[in-house]
Amino acid sequence: HISALQSDVLELFVTYQHVIHGDANPFLENDDDEKQKQKKNGMDVDDTAQPKDGGTSHTHKDDEEEEEEEEDEPIQMPSYFESKYKSYSDKKRSKIKKTYASFHRFLCESPLPKPPAVDSSSSNGLSNVVNDASSSSTTTTSIHGHNREQKEQQHHGHPTNTNPYQPDSEGYDIDIPYGTYHQQYRINNKYLIAVGVVDILPQCLSSVYAFYNPTLSNHLNLGKYTALREIEWVKRASLKRKDLCYYY
């Protein structure tokens, strides 16, 4: 999945989860700095706290070790990420790798089958191309002009992957096959501000998840905007896809 190879997607996801849901942000200050900050603010930080019932302390490190034992196949972070974050401490890089693995399992892996190949001689004129990486793909929406780019763009050294399914005059790619898609919303095709994850199925478009820049969303209502774009996609695509009639 192309989103799994783009560091700005991961960083946006982490920022959203941290601000909206209170998840840890491994890109921020390390644990020691945070403890010092809390002490300066008059907060008690006890590194040796024991359970009140006298039992064995169960730490976050224990949770991480249990998760690693349950994980069958470790998810490797792309080499591009490794080089970008090489100046970080080993501890911080380790946390980023764990966060990347969680992001990948949550939003980049899909149970849907790969989209079928399309015959280039078919009536709709689509090219005979199969997504041989996974059932997931990425489309990019430019906020200025609502121009949906139908190719995974080369962004800050990221891979480029051409998408053969052409959008309509207002950027809606209603001919794409069934599968899981990341709809990236970028300002001027560059600055990522939101990502909507959707499943396109025979009878519906399922809005799986959305994450966005929390600060910009205070002014742009990005959660509502992504939902409205998805609803409009269903309205347009249903004119060609006779079984498509639901959005949820």
Side-chain angles (χ1 to χ4, degrees):
H1 196 296
I2 198 70
S3 283
L5 303 177
Q6 296 176 317
S7 59
D8 57 349
V9 176
L10 174 65
E11 291 166 11
L12 180 65
F13 171 77
V14 169
T15 298
Y16 175 84
Q17 293 295 117
H18 177 69
V19 174
I20 303 301
H21 299 293
D23 292 356
N25 186 339
F27 294 102
L28 297 180
E29 54 197 344
N30 59 42
D31 293 342
D32 293 336
D33 291 340
E34 180 64 23
K35 290 174 184 176
Q36 291 297 326
K37 183 177 179 180
Q38 291 176 356
K39 289 178 180 179
K40 287 181 180 180
N41 292 335
M43 300 173 63
D44 293 330
V45 180
D46 187 359
D47 296 334
T48 60
Q50 299 293 326
K52 292 182 180 180
D53 60 4
T56 303
S57 175
H58 188 78
T59 65
H60 181 62
K61 182 177 180 180
D62 295 331
D63 292 333
E64 292 177 346
E65 291 175 351
E66 290 176 3
E67 290 177 2
E68 289 177 354
E69 291 176 358
E70 295 175 358
E71 187 176 335
D72 295 331
E73 297 182 4
I75 298 173
Q76 299 296 325
M77 195 165 64
S79 58
Y80 166 77
F81 288 43
E82 296 280 2
S83 60
K84 180 175 181 180
Y85 304 134
K86 64 180 180 181
S87 62
Y88 293 175
S89 67
D90 292 342
K91 184 177 182 180
K92 178 174 283 193
R93 286 202 308 274
S94 176
K95 290 182 178 180
I96 293 173
K97 289 179 181 179
K98 288 183 172 65
T99 301
Y100 174 82
S102 298
F103 162 73
H104 194 283
R105 285 192 296 267
F106 180 33
L107 295 176
C108 296
E109 296 178 0
S110 173
L112 297 179
K114 296 179 182 179
V118 180
D119 191 341
S120 60
S121 62
S122 62
S123 59
N124 60 11
L126 298 180
S127 300
N128 182 16
V129 176
V130 177
N131 182 345
D132 58 2
S134 73
S135 64
S136 300
S137 188
T138 303
T139 57
T140 304
T141 296
S142 175
I143 299 303
H144 290 172
H146 303 289
N147 179 28
R148 174 70 59 82
E149 292 293 334
Q150 287 310 297
K151 60 181 180 179
E152 277 85 309
Q153 299 188 13
Q154 187 172 359
H155 180 64
H156 297 307
H158 301 308
T160 298
N161 184 18
T162 301
N163 188 333
Y165 302 101
Q166 298 302 313
D168 63 16
S169 60
E170 294 184 340
Y172 289 90
D173 45 358
I174 60 176
D175 290 315
I176 54 178
Y178 305 138
T180 298
Y181 292 85
H182 283 205
Q183 296 178 305
Q184 298 182 0
Y185 297 82
R186 296 181 181 273
I187 296 177
N188 293 335
N189 291 327
K190 184 176 181 181
Y191 301 104
L192 182 69
I193 63 172
V195 177
V197 183
V198 300
D199 286 342
I200 297 180
L201 304 170
Q203 294 183 322
C204 73
L205 181 148
S206 175
S207 183
V208 177
Y209 202 69
F211 54 96
Y212 43 80
N213 185 305
T215 302
L216 286 178
S217 191
N218 290 333
H219 306 282
L220 300 178
N221 293 318
L222 293 173
K224 293 180 180 179
Y225 179 76
T226 58
L228 290 172
R229 292 282 297 186
E230 292 163 4
I231 292 171
E232 181 63 22
W233 186 93
V234 173
K235 291 172 61 178
R236 294 175 183 235
S238 64
L239 298 177
K240 284 190 173 183
R241 302 169 185 242
K242 299 306 180 183
D243 292 333
L244 179 67
C245 52
Y246 299 109
Y247 170 78
Y248 69 90

